[in-house]
Amino acid sequence: AVEIILYALVRIIFNAARKRNEDLLYQATHDQLTGMPNRSYLQTNIYNWIHDVTRPFSLLYIDLDRFKSINDSFGHQCGDQLLLDLARRLQTVQPKDSVIIRHGGDEFVVLTPVVDTDEVMALSRKIIETICKPYMVNNLKLHIGASIGIAQYPTHGKSFDILLRSADIAMYESKKIKN
């Protein structure tokens, strides 16, 4: 009987420790505000995408336009609420087998197996349309925009850093075209 109780106790302690480790890993790899995968998740998991050489993919680098002015004018709480709404919206247009990462304050990265040029452009337009719809936060109607840079593996880079840099350059070029 003592062995059974001891076994049960050890099992409870083991399960609690495993759950705690899983929670810590989740906290380290997911954005605290939106619950989306974060930069750390991306750094850890990009090799699942890059080392599968039989499968090209697209990286979409999204930068929000006018988000900083909303944060500055109405406060971070307002900006945080807008980001929560934005995260929910992005998940509604997320293609199958894709992942959306909150890369930084107002920057997001989409990794998607969609590589056909027309399909990638359609996805980008859909993301921009989704982001650009007005947000209602604290009885304020807020508008933001987005610029997207696209890079494709392996065409635009065979390492994550080069791929991200290519998408970043493309995103800044798209910003120039808007202005």
Side-chain angles (χ1 to χ4, degrees), residues 90-91 93-100 110 112-114 123 127:
L90 286 176
Q91 289 166 343
V93 295
Q94 181 175 355
K96 185 177 188 264
D97 297 327
S98 299
V99 63
I100 301 174
V110 178
T112 181
V114 177
L123 172 61
I127 288 171

Side-chain angles (χ1 to χ4, degrees), residues 59-61 147-152 156 163-177:
L59 184 151
L60 283 64
Y61 189 86
S147 300
I148 299 179
I150 302 165
Q152 294 187 322
H156 302 124
L163 206 57
L164 191 61
R165 193 170 331 134
S166 297
D168 189 37
I169 291 167
M171 185 270 301
Y172 277 104
E173 289 301 314
S174 74
K175 276 191 184 292
K176 281 185 198 174
I177 292 168

Side-chain angles (χ1 to χ4, degrees), residues 79-93:
D80 286 353
Q81 187 58 55
L82 188 145
L83 285 172
L84 280 169
D85 292 348
L86 174 93
R88 279 188 223 105
R89 289 183 188 186
L90 286 176
Q91 289 166 343
T92 67
V93 295

Side-chain angles (χ1 to χ4, degrees), residues 35-49:
M36 297 177 105
N38 63 16
R39 186 182 303 216
S40 177
Y41 174 93
L42 182 60
Q43 295 287 355
T44 306
N45 291 285
I46 190 64
Y47 301 105
N48 296 337
W49 289 76

Side-chain angles (χ1 to χ4, degrees), residues 95-176:
K96 185 177 188 264
D97 297 327
S98 299
V99 63
I100 301 174
I101 292 114
R102 183 170 178 207
H103 196 251
D106 66 344
E107 298 169 339
F108 295 82
V109 170
V110 178
L111 297 176
T112 181
V114 177
V115 290
D116 175 77
T117 303
D118 292 337
E119 288 180 42
V120 172
M121 293 306 288
L123 172 61
S124 296
R125 280 191 295 278
K126 191 174 185 181
I127 288 171
I128 288 174
E129 287 169 10
T130 300
I131 290 172
C132 289
K133 290 177 183 167
Y135 296 81
M136 288 302 295
V137 180
N138 300 334
N139 294 322
L140 296 169
K141 190 175 188 179
L142 304 173
H143 296 271
I144 59 169
S147 300
I148 299 179
I150 302 165
Q152 294 187 322
Y153 174 84
T155 309
H156 302 124
K158 292 188 177 172
S159 77
F160 174 65
D161 290 336
I162 293 172
L163 206 57
L164 191 61
R165 193 170 331 134
S166 297
D168 189 37
I169 291 167
M171 185 270 301
Y172 277 104
E173 289 301 314
S174 74
K175 276 191 184 292
K176 281 185 198 174

